[in-house]
Amino acid sequence: MSNMKTLEEIKKEYPTLTCNGWTYYSRGEKISSRDILKCPKEFKAICEWLNTYIGHRKTINTNSSSYGLKHTVERAIGHYVCNGMFIAAALACGYKMKYWNGPNCCFAMSQKDLNKFQYPNKPLTQGGPPLDRTRD
């Protein structure tokens, strides 16, 4: 997709997005994690999967949050992916988003397409190794 945003553009547009998802507060404490720019391979793999298999829709799909969808991608590609990297990739691919709660959000993604990859059609745990080995 030529009009797809880069990881750097997503970081600039959404400065509160970290690898774990949206920065939020719990009991007055800021909950955040590492920089999304540290996982470029994850970003690329998720974008490729989304662009290949998951269609857009007009309305936000609240059947699965970004956290649930990250597990769908893990099972499909056989690698661990972060919630925030899923969010960054979905935003880069142009899916409409609605904030949900904590670090999570929902997207306007085709449920019919997602059903091909979601439980009970696929085993629940197949995370696999991370694509970006450098973790801090």
Side-chain angles (χ1 to χ4, degrees), residues 48-55 64 68-78 86 95 109-126:
E48 287 173 359
W49 185 81
L50 288 171
N51 284 329
T52 302
Y53 297 107
I54 309 302
S64 298
L69 293 169
K70 103 176 188 80
H71 289 300
T72 299
V73 175
E74 288 174 341
R75 289 190 299 274
I77 71 171
F86 175 82
Y95 293 93
M109 292 182 177
S110 165
Q111 188 61 50
K112 183 179 175 187
D113 292 346
L114 288 168
N115 285 345
K116 297 171 189 168
F117 298 94
Q118 289 181 326
Y119 180 85
N121 303 319
K122 301 285 179 192
L124 196 51
T125 51
Q126 281 185 350

Side-chain angles (χ1 to χ4, degrees), residues 19 33-35 38 132-136:
C19 283
S33 76
R34 86 185 172 287
D35 191 330
K38 296 196 177 194
D132 295 282
R133 287 275 174 210
T134 56
R135 298 265 185 223
D136 51 28

